[in-house]
Amino acid sequence: MAVLPDPAASRAVLIGTSRYAHLEQIPAVANNLSALAAALCAPGSWGLRPEHCTVIEDPSTAVEVLEAVRTAAEEATDTLLVYFAGHGLVEPRRGELFLGLTGSIQHRSYTGLPYGTLRDVVLDGRAGRQVMLLDCCFSGRVLGFMSAASAEAVIDQVEIEGTYLLASVPDTSFALAPPGETHTAFTGELLRLLREGVPGGPELLDLDTVYAQVYAALRAKGRPLPQKRDRNTAGGLALARNAAWAPPGFGPAPPPYDHEPTPPTPPPAVPPMPTWSPMALPSPAPLPSPGGAARGRRRAVTYGLAGALFVALVAAGVPLAMSWMDGSSKDDSGRDTGRDTSKSSGKPKPGPTSGYNAATKGSVVNASTKPGGTLKFISQNDADYWDPQRTYFGFVWNFSRYYARQLVTYAPKPGKDGAELVPDLAEKTAKVTDGGKTYTYTLRDGITWEDGSPITSYDIKYGIERVWAQNDIPGGPIFLQQALDPDLTYKGPYKGTSDLKAIKTPDDRTIVFKLPKLNGDFERMLATPSGSPVKKEKDTKGKYTNRPFSSGPYKFDSYQPGKSLELVRNTEWKRSSDPIRAALPDRITVNVNDDEQAKAEALFSGQYHLDLESSGLTGTALTKARSSSDLSARLDNPYTQGLLLAALPRSVKPLDNVHCRKAVLYAADRENMQTASGGVLSGDIAPHMLPSTITGSDSSYDPYETRKTRGKPNATKAKEELKACGKPNGFTTTIAVRNNRPADVAVAESLRSSLEKVGIDTDIDQVDFARYSETLGAPEVVKKKGYGIVIYRWSSDLPTGQSFLQLLADSRFIERTANLNVAEVDDPTIDHLFDTAIAEQAPEKAGDDYAQINRRISDSAAYLPILFQKSVLWRGSRLTNVYTSDPWQGGYDYVSLGVSE
């Protein structure tokens, strides 16, 4: 009698490779992993515990896979399931099977994962039953020409005692991946069977029943047929519960089901094995869309499989529906983008307590209202300044809200909904009059300083006036200064007795801002720490950074620069006066440790709850986190709102010719640069300059067919552009890149390699980033050194088109040093569009102008956009109310966090 394995004593590891550097892409595989997990580990199927199922997407090394399997093999005492989907490679001399990884190359078996090694790790475990599903791509250019004898040899390799084998060896790349269907033929029928069940069938679906039903369904559609081999009655072992089963006497009699199919017919003859060249294969199959499965990404999932030792060799990858990702954003191919697209509901929906990328789905992970405990941050660096008017570090902007409030701030909501402006110290957002030049606010009742005295409009004005004291307290942004007093007529609060005329305070609770020029982003400027109040009597100028006076729910208790910070509750703060801050922890601590590896180990061990800087895991720490099911379930991969790009300065010949610049854009292999940067975990391939968080960004805009080609170069168009610019044989230039970021250097090397293929020869000059202002930021130096391509990263202060694009593309911002318009864009139409957009009060109308600017930048080929950046964040298991939010560079919204003790 068939019996399901014990979910508590079983483990599953699902592995799939959909993205390849040298082989055809199999986008279906990425869907395959999630759908198999969803269909087979649902409570009505087998019910494997979420924490007992690990998914590894696009592994780059065999060790990464084998370590995860070894861990699962040591933990499982009932059943161990290991599943692989992707290209299957055959070593031509010995006929040995190798499983394709992201860097695998045809006929280079050492670039893949030896099946025999994987099998040995599985069998060395403690489980009484081992389940192996090898869903290998034996089709098209890889194994489409393998003879029937070769297929038999491979099948024989995977057979061991107690196995149950389903094998399909079709003769074309897409024989089992029908165009327009979400699933390949075999897995699609398997999923349908598991979801719908077998009417009239047994309560448990054993492997023989599964084989019979899938075989019959495929035969009815005229599709390639699976082949069965089994030993020691393995076919009688249960795979899942029958979703259509009903106890006798319940409901109408179900239709009969076929248990034994017609014996399979021999597969058709196939052409002989061709002689392969070592060249990279073309990629006719589209890549997964940007934002999809991350290379090497591992997550604990909510569903899994069970059964006996079951080996399926099926041609092509297998895409599936991803019901476990319902509510997340998906692109046109159905792939999850990791972004929330739901409308703001006013209250974030509760989410799961764990799971890979769970905090990026628009819900709250581990939701709780329980106060108490100590929230522990660790950081590799101390703040630049804790003084709100002086800080320019993004993580300090986020953290400072514990002790500094503003008139308005960002909503405590996940994803893009967090970019909504909501009142904080003010009762409402601004009353805007005078055609958009006057902003008036009325303060809330009950807002107090840490000494119990009321926060007044004068305190807010004084805090903002400190921005003008750049000689005494330098460091922070000056956009409020530029918006309110562009001619710098005010000398600051420490010089003379005059005050800032652009701010009026008629009474303690009213504050009025009068702008000399329209600026639709003004309220967002006030939402930064620069807009925080400062009590004049407590202003210690340069020393204020060591002990800011609190207007929020926490106050400074102790601070040792470069070592530690401790905040404790501000007992004078009134919860009724603050609709933004949850203020759940009793204490908040920050410890500084400049040893990156030690910092990661402290996080993994639970000594700290999260990284203050939100810089993300890299290197060894990231590899370790991805290789463990427990650790990987605490990772999130949000967008940082940053852009990795290359400027093509028009002062450097021959890049002064638009066609030469376009040749670079068409020749660039952005998919390869993504891999060099760290894979899809590091970001999505960018077809244009505007991240999706900026109003005016258009997901359908693809000026160089970057999305269409999935980042692959277009050599034909590149050569056409070279001919148009008078350089049919190519040209020579220099790529400049910062020397303190190895990933950027790797991107430069990747770009050089792709440009060489169309005749553009490049040298790479690694520049000391500490000297940016006088090197890459100096147009004369860029021209003198012949830096025709400059690679750097960019992120804006505010989530708006003005903040993101103006410094990059407005000719009036080209500077002799510290220049950020490195491409030297000089377009009067763009300058005019900025003026129009900035003066616009309606974000949607301003977005239309920014969309036009984005198009003109693309038309000019001034920049090569490479990646919309992402990071890999760690959240401790005891954190509550965790979600990522756009205005904080995609990091966690600190003011909502709590901790369970």
Side-chain angles (χ1 to χ4, degrees):
M1 179 179 177
V3 178
L4 284 176
D6 178 8
S10 300
R11 300 291 187 273
V13 182
L14 310 184
I15 310 153
T17 310
S18 63
R19 302 171 67 94
Y20 293 86
H22 309 288
L23 304 173
E24 278 112 336
Q25 314 304 321
I26 316 176
V29 167
N31 293 346
N32 200 24
L33 297 174
S34 297
L36 278 174
L40 294 173
C41 199
S45 179
W46 179 29
L48 185 66
R49 293 182 180 179
E51 62 269 27
H52 292 169
C53 184
T54 297
V55 170
I56 306 174
E57 296 182 14
D58 296 316
S60 57
T61 67
V63 172
E64 178 183 353
V65 175
L66 295 172
E67 277 298 305
V69 174
R70 180 190 59 80
T71 298
E74 291 175 350
E75 295 175 350
T77 56
D78 186 315
T79 297
L80 169 65
L81 166 77
V82 176
Y83 167 87
F84 173 84
H87 280 302
L89 307 176
V90 173
E91 199 285 326
R93 294 182 181 177
R94 296 180 297 276
E96 295 175 354
L97 174 66
F98 287 79
L99 310 180
L101 307 177
T102 54
S104 291
I105 300 174
Q106 176 63 228
H107 286 323
R108 298 183 189 178
S109 55
Y110 55 86
T111 62
L113 168 61
Y115 168 77
T117 303
L118 176 64
R119 178 182 58 183
D120 292 343
V121 172
V122 170
L123 295 178
D124 287 341
R126 299 191 300 159
R129 291 176 287 192
Q130 297 88 15
V131 179
M132 290 280 293
L133 290 95
L134 299 182
D135 191 357
C136 297
C137 179
F138 283 159
S139 56
R141 293 179 179 267
V142 180
L143 290 179
F145 301 110
M146 187 171 65
S147 67
S150 298
E152 287 292 314
V154 172
I155 292 171
D156 286 339
Q157 288 177 34
V158 300
E159 269 199 312
I160 55 176
E161 290 300 317
T163 67
Y164 191 93
L165 172 66
L166 294 183
S168 177
V169 188
D171 56 350
T172 61
S173 291
F174 303 104
L176 293 183
E181 293 189 16
T182 308
H183 315 296
T184 58
F186 176 84
T187 303
E189 296 302 334
L190 176 61
L191 289 172
R192 181 197 56 76
L193 173 66
L194 295 171
R195 287 194 299 263
E196 300 175 9
V198 181
E203 180 178 358
L204 299 177
L205 298 178
D206 59 44
L207 294 174
D208 279 337
T209 300
V210 169
Y211 166 67
Q213 293 296 306
V214 171
Y215 183 98
L218 291 172
R219 183 181 62 175
K221 295 180 179 180
R223 292 177 173 175
L225 302 174
Q227 302 175 46
K228 180 186 78 166
R229 290 192 181 188
D230 62 289
R231 294 182 179 180
N232 293 349
T233 67
L237 294 168
L239 178 64
R241 295 181 178 87
N242 182 1
W245 180 79
F250 282 80
Y257 75 100
D258 294 329
H259 185 76
E260 287 295 335
T262 303
T265 57
V270 294
M273 176 82 77
T275 301
W276 288 94
S277 73
M279 296 173 60
L281 295 175
S283 302
L287 282 167
S289 66
R295 177 164 293 123
R297 189 173 74 180
R298 177 171 301 155
R299 61 173 176 253
V301 298
T302 55
Y303 305 103
L305 315 174
L309 189 53
F310 179 137
V311 184
L313 297 168
V314 186
V318 192
L320 302 178
M322 295 181 290
S323 60
W324 74 289
M325 288 185 175
D326 286 348
S328 64
S329 172
K330 299 178 182 179
D331 60 20
D332 293 338
S333 65
R335 294 294 307 285
D336 175 48
T337 65
R339 292 189 49 75
D340 173 42
T341 57
S342 60
K343 298 293 184 182
S344 175
S345 62
K347 183 178 180 180
K349 60 182 179 181
T353 57
S354 66
Y356 178 81
N357 243 358
T360 68
K361 303 299 181 183
S363 58
V364 179
V365 175
N366 207 13
S368 173
T369 58
K370 183 179 179 181
T374 299
L375 177 59
K376 300 176 182 178
F377 290 89
I378 189 171
S379 180
Q380 195 168 349
N381 297 288
D382 199 352
D384 55 344
Y385 302 99
W386 296 113
D387 183 333
Q389 271 76 37
R390 299 182 69 183
T391 180
Y392 221 140
F393 283 3
F395 69 87
V396 183
W397 286 22
N398 193 349
F399 185 88
S400 67
R401 293 176 299 150
Y402 286 130
Y403 58 86
R405 299 178 64 178
Q406 296 83 41
L407 286 165
V408 292
T409 189
Y410 291 106
K413 299 177 183 178
K416 66 181 182 63
D417 290 341
E420 175 190 352
L421 279 181
V422 293
D424 186 358
L425 289 172
E427 290 182 337
K428 299 178 181 179
T429 54
K431 178 182 179 182
V432 183
T433 56
D434 191 22
K437 290 186 178 181
T438 301
Y439 290 70
T440 303
Y441 297 91
T442 301
L443 303 191
R444 293 180 186 274
D445 287 326
I447 51 177
T448 59
W449 290 105
E450 64 175 85
D451 62 0
S453 60
I455 298 172
T456 68
S457 58
Y458 313 118
D459 297 330
I460 296 173
K461 178 180 180 179
Y462 181 78
I464 294 173
E465 287 177 337
R466 295 175 81 242
V467 174
W468 275 252
Q470 290 297 308
N471 291 330
D472 297 287
I473 50 171
I478 59 171
F479 39 64
L480 281 173
Q481 182 187 87
Q482 294 167 335
L484 291 167
D485 181 29
D487 296 328
L488 295 180
T489 58
Y490 177 56
K491 302 305 178 184
Y494 308 141
K495 298 183 184 299
T497 57
S498 64
D499 65 349
L500 179 59
K501 304 302 182 185
I503 305 178
K504 302 297 182 182
T505 51
D507 55 57
D508 287 358
R509 295 188 58 209
T510 305
I511 186 166
V512 182
F513 299 87
K514 293 185 176 292
L515 278 61
K517 292 177 62 177
L518 296 171
N519 197 315
D521 288 349
F522 180 67
E523 273 204 285
R524 294 191 181 275
M525 297 176 187
L526 290 176
T528 67
S530 296
S532 304
V534 172
K535 192 169 186 175
K536 186 175 182 178
E537 295 80 3
K538 297 295 183 179
D539 183 9
T540 55
K541 299 183 180 179
K543 295 181 180 179
Y544 193 72
T545 186
N546 296 324
R547 189 25 175 110
F549 201 60
S550 177
S551 57
Y554 297 93
K555 62 183 180 180
F556 275 53
D557 184 58
S558 63
Y559 174 50
Q560 298 182 56
K563 294 182 179 180
S564 64
L565 168 67
E566 181 174 350
L567 304 182
V568 295
R569 288 194 182 277
N570 170 12
T571 56
E572 298 298 329
W573 172 80
K574 298 178 179 62
R575 186 174 298 276
S576 60
S577 76
D578 192 340
I580 307 301
R581 296 156 182 80
L584 294 177
D586 289 332
R587 296 166 62 247
I588 300 171
T589 63
V590 177
N591 274 53
V592 179
N593 188 330
D594 61 5
D595 185 327
E596 185 174 2
Q597 184 60 34
K599 181 188 73 172
E601 291 299 330
L603 287 169
F604 295 161
S605 68
Q607 185 178 353
Y608 298 95
H609 300 120
L610 73 166
D611 175 13
L612 176 65
E613 295 178 85
S614 295
S615 54
L617 298 178
T618 59
T620 304
L622 178 57
T623 300
K624 179 175 181 178
R626 290 166 55 201
S627 66
S628 164
S629 58
D630 289 338
L631 298 182
S632 63
R634 302 178 197 170
L635 297 179
D636 291 299
N637 188 210
Y639 295 91
T640 67
Q641 324 314 323
L643 176 68
L644 173 62
L645 74 161
L648 280 58
R650 62 181 62 200
S651 62
V652 179
K653 294 183 178 296
L655 280 309
D656 58 338
N657 188 301
V658 65
H659 294 290
C660 283
R661 296 196 298 270
K662 286 185 176 181
V664 172
L665 267 65
Y666 278 120
D669 187 338
R670 287 181 237 203
E671 185 199 31
N672 203 294
M673 286 191 282
Q674 180 190 50
T675 300
S677 179
V680 292
L681 288 175
S682 67
D684 288 349
I685 295 170
H688 53 76
M689 295 288 287
L690 273 183
S692 60
T693 53
I694 307 295
T695 302
S697 178
D698 181 356
S699 61
S700 67
Y701 181 50
D702 193 13
Y704 293 90
E705 298 186 334
T706 305
R707 286 194 193 277
K708 182 178 179 180
T709 62
R710 307 295 187 179
K712 301 301 290 183
N714 189 327
T716 300
K717 287 192 175 182
K719 291 177 181 178
E720 290 175 356
E721 295 293 344
L722 286 172
K723 185 177 180 180
C725 80
K727 301 288 183 179
N729 297 320
F731 58 85
T732 300
T733 192
T734 298
I735 300 174
V737 62
R738 59 193 291 184
N739 64 357
N740 65 333
R741 189 185 286 268
D744 288 7
V745 177
V747 168
E749 294 283 359
S750 172
L751 180 57
R752 175 169 65 179
S753 177
S754 60
L755 295 181
E756 284 177 352
K757 295 177 182 178
V758 298
I760 302 175
D761 295 324
T762 60
D763 294 321
I764 296 177
D765 190 0
Q766 297 188 38
V767 180
D768 184 356
F769 194 72
R771 300 181 61 239
Y772 170 86
S773 293
E774 65 266 29
T775 54
L776 305 183
E780 285 300 319
V781 175
V782 168
K783 180 179 179 180
K784 181 180 179 179
K785 290 184 173 289
Y787 291 156
I789 302 172
V790 180
I791 294 174
Y792 60 115
R793 295 171 185 257
W794 174 249
S795 185
S796 60
D797 296 328
L798 310 173
T800 67
Q802 175 186 186
S803 186
F804 197 89
L805 285 180
Q806 191 170 29
L807 291 177
L808 297 177
D810 192 324
S811 66
R812 296 164 293 186
F813 285 80
I814 297 176
E815 304 288 349
R816 292 176 58 87
T817 59
N819 175 49
L820 292 169
N821 185 352
V822 180
E824 300 168 46
V825 179
D826 187 359
D827 182 344
T829 300
I830 288 179
D831 297 349
H832 174 71
L833 285 169
F834 274 120
D835 291 340
T836 302
I838 291 169
E840 183 58 63
Q841 291 292 304
E844 296 76 13
K845 292 183 179 179
D848 292 339
D849 293 325
Y850 293 126
Q852 291 186 58
I853 293 171
N854 190 28
R855 281 174 160 75
R856 291 192 69 87
I857 294 173
S858 295
D859 291 343
S860 72
Y863 289 98
L864 164 64
I866 302 171
L867 293 180
F868 293 137
Q869 295 174 226
K870 301 173 80 174
S871 63
V872 182
L873 303 182
W874 167 267
R875 61 184 132 79
S877 61
R878 291 188 294 166
L879 280 178
T880 62
N881 300 330
V882 191
Y883 56 86
T884 60
S885 188
D886 284 3
W888 312 114
Q889 291 77 49
Y892 302 128
D893 187 349
Y894 290 165
V895 298
S896 294
L897 294 175
V899 60
S900 61
E901 295 291 353

